Amino acid sequence: MTQLQTPSAVVGRLSFLDRFLPVWIGVAMAVGLLLGRMIPGLGDALSAVAVDGISLPIAIGLLIMMYPVLAKVRYDRLDTVTGDRRLLVGSLVLNWVVGPALMFTLAWTLLPDLPEYRTGLIIVGLARCIAMVIIWNDLACGDREAAAVLVAINSVFQVVMFAILGWFYLSVLPGWLGLEQTTIETSPWQIAKSVLIFLGVPLLAGFLTRRFGERARGREWYETRFLPAIGQFALYGLLFTIVILFALQGEQITSRPMDVVRIAIPLLAYFAIMWGGGYLLGASLGLGYERTTTIAFTAAGNNFELAIAVAIATYGAASGQALAGVVGPLIEVPVLVGLVYVSLALRKRFGRHRLDKTSAAPESTSGAE
């Protein structure tokens, strides 16, 4: 057993980049917005080459962001996660029952007069996170193996359930309730391609890197030399992705400030309720700090890349539905970064617990001490 460390001790061991991450994210968002606003045609240039409907620069940023964290996962320990039925069932209920229903309720309650934004938010609620949540979980010292398993499960359910739930929440349920109905055009194959590219590629790369790296040089070298060397690229990829994402939609966001505020209100409520609900569920199930943190962040995060791609493909790039998707990361990124620090502050409430260096050590995401 290791003595529980305080949030200040955890933060103190982070690298300079990690320690001031909220500052760098704020700067990245501002730079992206300014670039998108000040350089005519930048959005069209960035969107000229796309991977499965996602701008190539964003695709590259996502892959760079996810690979180092997935290379850290101890794949030989995944069976300890898959055997935890409380964790798996709790995550499935939060992600695929509570999450979509909550976003539907918030969208209709807070945006009854804005059908385009309302539809966009409902689409966001259906797109469960498979990318940035890995970064937030790692920064909060969550269970890395559990995050990998839950993200993989979300990916499978996303392929199977996204179109079905979209039809239910946009057409069937509103019809039952006497509300306005709409449609969504997407296919399981379209979603499967997105999952295979943005999760499958870095997941396979991380698995192969660990397997052959440990086989060639040993686990000690892999975890003390190789991982610190590549770890910093996760946050570089995150910041690059944020700059490009906000540059693509900078003009829309800055030219419609009151619309952004209206969209932001249900999003703020959604993130707070989902994260808090995940924390309460994990604590009530006795999952411990690491897995409680993981279930909370995987419940609160959303796959905005998929939501934006679906909204653009169905309603157009200039639609209100697409704008709602774009505002998502504008709110999610700073909120979930703040919740990382809230998580670290809550660690003492879980008492003494095992801090495993390979799953939830208070290490720097960049690998630097």
Side-chain angles (χ1 to χ4, degrees):
M1 302 286 283
T2 304
Q3 178 66 39
L4 179 64
Q5 300 191 33
T6 64
S8 59
V10 173
V11 174
R13 295 188 61 187
L14 298 178
S15 70
F16 180 75
L17 177 64
D18 289 320
R19 194 175 307 164
F20 296 99
L21 181 61
V23 175
W24 312 136
I25 286 178
V27 170
M29 292 167 63
V31 169
L33 290 172
L34 288 174
L35 289 175
R37 185 72 178 179
M38 297 175 62
I39 302 178
L42 177 62
D44 292 336
L46 292 173
S47 301
V49 181
V51 176
D52 194 39
I54 301 295
S55 167
L56 180 60
I58 290 182
I60 293 173
L62 288 172
L63 295 175
I64 294 173
M65 176 183 74
M66 293 177 68
Y67 164 68
V69 179
L70 290 171
K72 293 179 181 180
V73 171
R74 283 280 301 275
Y75 293 93
D76 58 334
R77 296 186 56 194
L78 294 184
D79 59 334
T80 66
V81 179
T82 56
D84 191 340
R85 292 185 179 180
R86 297 171 304 167
L87 175 71
L88 299 182
V89 173
S91 178
L92 286 174
V93 170
L94 283 172
N95 276 285
W96 297 102
V97 178
V98 177
L102 175 62
M103 189 67 90
F104 175 88
T105 302
L106 290 171
W108 272 101
T109 301
L110 300 175
L111 300 175
D113 57 327
L114 298 171
E116 289 190 357
Y117 299 153
R118 184 178 65 236
T119 298
L121 286 182
I122 292 172
I123 293 173
V124 167
L126 301 176
R128 312 313 302 168
C129 195
I130 64 170
M132 288 188 181
V133 69
I134 294 176
I135 294 288
W136 311 138
N137 178 74
D138 218 44
L139 287 170
C141 298
D143 188 314
R144 198 171 288 146
E145 285 69 42
V149 170
L150 296 184
V151 164
I153 291 174
N154 273 348
S155 301
V156 173
F157 267 75
Q158 203 150 234
V159 172
V160 176
M161 297 300 297
F162 187 91
I164 296 172
L165 289 175
W167 167 73
F168 177 76
Y169 280 104
L170 294 175
S171 182
V172 176
L173 185 57
W176 289 350
L177 299 175
L179 303 172
E180 180 182 352
Q181 297 172 278
T182 185
T183 59
I184 184 172
E185 296 178 9
T186 189
S187 68
W189 173 236
Q190 177 186 356
I191 300 165
K193 286 191 297 180
S194 176
V195 170
L196 287 172
I197 293 170
F198 298 116
L199 176 63
V201 171
L203 183 63
L204 179 62
F207 171 77
L208 293 176
T209 301
R210 177 171 279 276
R211 180 172 183 179
F212 291 108
E214 288 188 356
R215 182 177 296 178
R217 303 291 296 273
R219 178 165 294 173
E220 182 178 358
W221 172 87
Y222 184 85
E223 295 190 348
T224 61
R225 301 291 296 277
F226 179 74
L227 289 182
I230 67 168
Q232 60 187 329
F233 291 100
L235 293 185
Y236 294 154
L238 172 65
L239 296 175
F240 175 78
T241 301
I242 291 171
V243 170
I244 300 301
L245 183 61
F246 284 89
L248 280 168
Q249 303 294 339
E251 185 173 356
Q252 278 205 74
I253 292 173
T254 56
S255 63
R256 300 156 79 175
M258 291 311 299
D259 288 354
V260 171
V261 172
R262 289 289 304 275
I263 296 168
I265 293 172
L267 283 169
L268 283 169
Y270 173 84
F271 293 133
I273 294 171
M274 289 300 293
W275 187 89
Y279 234 89
L280 289 174
L281 178 62
S284 66
L285 292 175
L287 296 179
Y289 172 79
E290 289 83 6
R291 291 189 176 178
T292 294
T293 296
T294 299
I295 201 173
F297 278 100
T298 52
N302 289 85
N303 185 354
F304 286 104
E305 299 79 25
L306 175 61
I308 293 169
V310 170
I312 290 174
T314 303
Y315 304 104
S319 66
Q321 291 89 342
L323 178 61
V326 169
V327 173
L330 176 68
I331 307 302
E332 182 193 55
V333 170
V335 168
L336 292 192
V337 168
L339 290 175
V340 166
Y341 288 88
V342 174
S343 290
L344 294 175
L346 289 174
R347 295 179 80 183
K348 62 181 180 294
R349 295 188 176 274
F350 286 82
R352 295 171 62 88
H353 63 286
R354 181 175 178 269
L355 287 174
D356 190 316
K357 218 173 186 182
T358 61
S359 61
E363 65 182 52
S364 162
T365 297
S366 66
E369 293 291 343

